[in-house]
Amino acid sequence: MYKLTVLYGHPEDPAAFDSYYWEKHLPVARTMPGLTGWTIGKCDVDPDGAQPPYYLVVGLYANTRAELEATLDSPEGRATLADVANFATGGSTFLWDEERVVVPVELPATE
């Protein structure tokens, strides 16, 4: 499985970011063909109360990097990428990786 992670920095106006992201950007992004999954996570403060380095983390999934690149190179993908500048006032970082999901092994119960 291949993943593109988009890290959004803290926006100048969080309420405006949220409104634009959910009401305008996401409907455009949902038109992108070929994705096998999608995650969106709003970052929370650390247990000690420190602000995290990012505001929002998005994961886009496809079977291969080539498929993910084709998704972004489609007209819908290009429109989605172009739209990022309209709301990401805190900047954005794109990270590409081949992801492996590791499930912890359950230890036998002790009596």
Side-chain angles (χ1 to χ4, degrees):
M1 172 176 0
Y2 214 87
K3 178 174 77 169
L4 171 61
T5 301
V6 183
L7 305 170
Y8 290 102
H10 290 274
E12 295 168 5
D13 181 344
F17 177 100
D18 291 346
S19 176
Y20 192 97
Y21 184 85
W22 292 100
E23 296 171 19
K24 296 182 180 176
H25 182 70
L26 200 52
V28 172
R30 284 185 172 159
T31 67
M32 291 188 295
L35 296 175
T36 60
W38 201 327
T39 60
I40 301 170
K42 195 170 195 180
C43 299
D44 205 351
V45 296
D46 291 342
D48 64 3
Q51 180 173 298
Y54 299 101
Y55 182 74
L56 192 74
V57 177
V58 176
L60 304 174
Y61 294 86
N63 292 314
T64 65
R65 181 172 179 146
E67 289 177 13
L68 194 49
E69 288 176 350
T71 294
L72 296 180
D73 196 36
S74 69
E76 298 88 351
R78 288 191 301 272
T80 300
L81 291 173
D83 190 47
V84 170
N86 293 325
F87 66 94
T89 57
S92 61
T93 301
F94 289 65
L95 303 173
W96 299 78
D97 70 273
E98 187 168 2
E99 185 170 83
R100 290 179 162 182
V101 177
V102 179
V103 178
V105 176
E106 287 190 37
L107 299 175
T110 58
E111 294 182 30

